[in-house]
Amino acid sequence: MRVLCSSTLIGEFFVIGFAGLVAMKDDGLATSTVWWVCGVAMVVSVLLCGMITRPGGVQLGWALQAGLILSGFVVPTMFFLGAVFAGLWWASVHYGRRIDKVKADWAAAHASAGPDAA
């Protein structure tokens, strides 16, 4: 699960940065505000890569997905991109857990077979 979720989060890191560049063009927004918000979101996305397997890591990831979707009120394209990344996040968590279970089952089966079974 860690690899799939981390890949999604790193993709979000770049999307957040590009969304910040687009938001900077809005005359109603201060550049410093845009970069504070985007910078915090980018740091959170990178930090979450290391927190995925810890308690609350997946829930924090969902909060980031909600933030991406809500950022569509500033950059309308983010409604679409946020929904796409929310779908990727769901798939990363869902299929990542399934892959982890298959790996654990495989390891347990081969561990119980003994060292001569390969």
Side-chain angles (χ1 to χ4, degrees):
M1 180 172 82
R2 183 179 207 136
V3 172
L4 291 174
C5 289
S6 293
S7 298
T8 301
L9 290 167
I10 293 302
E12 288 177 9
F13 172 86
F14 290 107
V15 167
I16 293 166
F18 290 131
L21 291 172
V22 172
M24 240 176 40
K25 300 291 183 186
D26 187 350
D27 293 332
L29 299 172
T31 304
S32 60
T33 303
V34 169
W35 286 115
W36 268 105
V37 172
C38 289
V40 167
M42 291 169 78
V43 168
V44 166
S45 69
V46 171
L47 291 177
L48 274 173
C49 290
M51 295 177 54
I52 294 302
T53 56
R54 296 178 188 236
V58 172
Q59 289 77 14
L60 287 173
W62 279 115
L64 182 63
Q65 305 317 308
L68 278 180
I69 293 170
L70 291 174
S71 70
F73 289 108
V74 178
V75 179
T77 306
M78 290 305 292
F79 284 124
F80 173 72
L81 288 174
V84 167
F85 273 98
L88 286 171
W89 183 252
W90 175 85
S92 297
V93 171
H94 178 75
Y95 291 112
R97 286 181 176 158
R98 289 176 78 183
I99 290 168
D100 289 349
K101 183 181 179 332
V102 168
K103 281 182 175 179
D105 291 346
W106 185 85
H110 281 73
S112 64
D116 294 333

